[in-house]
Amino acid sequence: MISPQVIEEIRKQADIVEIISSYIDVKKKGNQFVAVCPFHADTNPSLSISRQLQIYKCFSCQAGGNVFTFVQEYERIPFIDAVRKVAEMIGYSSSELDKKERSVPSEVTNALNVVKQANELYQYLLKSNDGKQALDYLLERGISQEMIDYFELGYSSSNPELSIKLLRGKGIEIEQLEKVGILKRSQGLFTDIFTGRVTFPIYNEHSECIGFSSRRIINNDEAKYVNSPNNILFNKSNVLYNYQNAKKEAKREGYLYIVEGFMDVFALYQAGVKSCVAIMGTALTPSHAKMIKKLNVPVRLCLDGDEPGQHAMVRVGEILDVEGIEYQVVDYGKSTQDPDEILQKYGKDILKKLLNRVLDKYDFIYLYYKKKFDLSSSIGRRQFAETLIPQVSKIKDEISRDILINRLSLDTGITKDILNKECAKLVQKPEQKATFNTIQYTPIKKSKKSKLDNIQRATLMMMLSSNEAIKDYQANSNINFVDPLYLEIANYMIDILETQHEFDIGTLISVLQQSNNQRSQTLISTITELQSNEYSQPYSKVAMEDNLMALKREYDKNKNEFKFKNETYGKDYGEQAKILQDYVDSQKGDK
């Protein structure tokens, strides 16, 4: 349990600008800082960050909060985990922050233990006499003992029953081995699905071993690779090979390479690149992109140099674009080989040079499509333009878009005016809604506020910025906010001032995050919205008293209606129906 005092110390020591900058690109604008909001499909910076108040707010989608809110919602983790994460980022230590095991169902915990023991067994078998052929295979492929240990490579015995018997000897049941995809039943025998293969353990983003891929070591009719089947732990669409190592290296190296397979990861490792993940022969999914975005580094796509690999890079790029992940593409030139083949044929120095030869993503897209058409014919030039214009129209950066329009005009002979008009037609069409890795907010159209609402908001804004304003409100016990949302915020503020003798917005947001209040996110969004200059009003006793008297007049005029709104606030439908009936009956009695 982390005490409120420790949470407050962490929050006050953390610089919200620096923390948010570690996730997204933040720029200074006047006294504030701005960024492209990661919580909706933002193109222009609409996220405002205040270093003075230690809060952020997006005035487009209404996302807002303090440093813990941002980390919690960006990483989609519980509040306490966000507190620990921020503490780690600022170097804050306390015995209260000692990491506890993740809260996972016992069924998952048991499954993780089974896979962990299997991984340890496979590593042992690779070093045994039974694994000599597999070890020789790896060494012949240029995979050193250091790499074998680093990647925890193993071997499943050529005796199909051996590993099952050994694991059962550790007290693991048949049903458990079957549930995690290690065991298969065949003609009354229990055998290992990875029999006679080199094993590659697969880890999740929590650095827990969740399954395996395996490769045959002799040429036969069996599949080259066999993966764990989808099960309670393992889903190929949600895992990236070597992610647990890459996330430790990404910040140091400043980028992340994405390759197709295990051998490509090993090849890059030998060329000195450890920040690398493989998509394991499947298409990159939105789930993969969410994992990649958390690393907050640019990506370098390094899929195979052949046509399928190049085509896959175009598709991968589209998914990365949706998530706002910057990327470049390794330029293979005329080579159609993959990184492992280049390493084997030319050595690590040539591979390293190739890895650092990268194309801007727009150059790659242009050249990829240009190769597909015969530009010596008018039909080919037209088809090239028709294919590329939809790609160009998606580019938000005007300079990059203009450069490609110029190139396209030179290569096709079509005037820039015509090309720009065709792009404009596509830009005007509604874009499809994108899927993001974080909690999503829907952009809200601001409606015109009533006079009463403006009075309430100005009053609450004074209270958020001044302890004296809160005391003025307390002193007028017969005057309350009409809107139940504002009233609830005011009550939280009073509680904080009474218990801590000082109030600030960051504390209020932390209190709301730790509460069981189902409306906490709405309350936080309202609080951060009030930091807009639209409602900003410096505290003065006279202005505060004027606002409070205006609130009293409005309440007295419509007290029955306001009483009904406050009584139904937060109630379920049944309770609201009863209150509504009482309200209707009282209105009849007044006539």
Side-chain angles (χ1 to χ4, degrees), residues 118-133:
N119 187 34
E120 291 172 354
L121 173 62
Y122 293 147
Q123 290 179 73
Y124 168 78
L125 290 174
L126 180 63
K127 297 172 184 175
S128 70
N129 290 332
D130 190 20
K132 186 178 184 309
Q133 185 179 10

Side-chain angles (χ1 to χ4, degrees), residues 503-523:
F503 170 82
D504 72 53
I505 294 173
T507 303
L508 173 58
I509 293 172
S510 288
V511 168
L512 286 168
Q513 285 177 298
Q514 296 170 76
S515 72
N516 293 320
N517 192 331
Q518 295 181 347
R519 298 176 295 281
S520 61
Q521 187 55 58
T522 302
L523 295 169

Side-chain angles (χ1 to χ4, degrees), residues 319-366:
I319 294 173
L320 297 179
D321 278 334
V322 167
E323 294 294 346
I325 300 170
E326 287 301 315
Y327 71 93
Q328 295 174 305
V329 179
V330 171
D331 180 13
Y332 280 90
K334 295 181 179 180
S335 174
T336 60
Q337 296 171 309
D338 60 34
D340 180 48
E341 291 169 336
I342 293 169
L343 175 72
Q344 301 300 329
K345 188 171 182 179
Y346 301 107
K348 64 181 181 181
D349 291 338
I350 296 296
L351 175 59
K352 190 166 187 175
K353 286 181 181 178
L354 175 69
L355 294 173
N356 288 310
R357 193 174 71 190
V358 291
L359 290 170
D360 174 87
K361 62 182 179 180
Y362 301 128
D363 287 335
F364 168 74
I365 290 169
Y366 189 90

Side-chain angles (χ1 to χ4, degrees), residues 576-591:
Q576 286 183 2
K578 186 177 184 305
I579 295 169
L580 175 60
Q581 187 59 53
D582 292 342
Y583 173 71
V584 171
D585 291 343
S586 69
Q587 291 295 93
K588 289 178 181 176
D590 289 343
K591 291 181 180 177

Side-chain angles (χ1 to χ4, degrees), residues 10-28:
I10 295 168
R11 185 189 66 77
K12 288 178 178 177
Q13 290 185 31
D15 183 332
I16 194 170
V17 174
E18 291 183 6
I19 297 297
I20 294 180
S21 295
S22 70
Y23 288 95
I24 58 177
D25 186 27
V26 174
K27 296 179 180 177
K28 197 172 191 310

Side-chain angles (χ1 to χ4, degrees), residues 51-236:
R51 176 169 271 157
Q52 178 186 1
L53 297 173
Q54 289 295 300
I55 62 172
Y56 69 93
K57 180 67 182 179
C58 175
F59 291 99
S60 177
C61 73
Q62 305 307 309
N66 63 11
V67 63
F68 300 136
T69 319
F70 185 90
V71 174
Q72 180 181 9
E73 298 191 358
Y74 190 93
E75 297 218 18
R76 302 195 72 174
I77 55 178
F79 172 75
I80 291 300
D81 287 348
V83 172
R84 287 195 175 96
K85 181 80 174 178
V86 173
E88 180 185 347
M89 294 168 83
I90 66 172
Y92 182 97
S93 62
S94 167
S95 59
E96 293 184 25
L97 295 172
D98 289 344
K99 187 67 177 175
K100 296 175 181 175
E101 291 296 318
R102 284 191 309 127
S103 177
V104 295
S106 58
E107 184 182 19
V108 173
T109 301
N110 292 335
L112 287 169
N113 180 55
V114 172
V115 176
K116 180 182 178 182
Q117 292 199 50
N119 187 34
E120 291 172 354
L121 173 62
Y122 293 147
Q123 290 179 73
Y124 168 78
L125 290 174
L126 180 63
K127 297 172 184 175
S128 70
N129 290 332
D130 190 20
K132 186 178 184 309
Q133 185 179 10
L135 181 60
D136 289 343
Y137 165 81
L138 293 172
L139 295 174
E140 287 169 7
R141 291 293 303 263
I143 301 171
S144 66
Q145 187 61 54
E146 178 200 351
M147 294 172 64
I148 290 170
D149 294 338
Y150 182 81
F151 293 104
E152 298 181 6
L153 305 188
Y155 172 69
S156 176
S157 173
S158 55
N159 178 345
E161 298 178 77
L162 179 61
S163 57
I164 302 301
K165 288 178 179 178
L166 291 173
L167 289 169
R168 289 187 69 186
K170 291 178 174 285
I172 300 173
E173 301 293 334
I174 289 295
E175 291 73 17
Q176 292 177 294
L177 291 167
E178 197 166 27
K179 185 175 288 186
V180 297
I182 291 174
L183 175 148
K184 66 178 178 181
R185 300 172 188 254
S186 176
Q187 298 178 343
L189 298 176
F190 300 135
T191 61
D192 190 332
I193 71 167
F194 307 122
T195 296
R197 293 171 172 269
V198 172
T199 58
F200 308 89
I202 312 295
Y203 283 78
N204 62 15
E205 57 185 311
H206 304 293
S207 295
E208 297 163 333
C209 187
I210 56 173
F212 302 92
S213 185
S214 65
R215 194 192 192 283
R216 71 186 185 202
I217 58 175
I218 56 174
N219 290 324
N220 54 31
D221 294 335
E222 294 180 0
K224 181 183 290 187
Y225 287 98
V226 171
N227 297 320
S228 293
N230 285 352
N231 57 62
I232 189 173
L233 299 178
F234 185 86
N235 186 322
K236 197 173 179 180

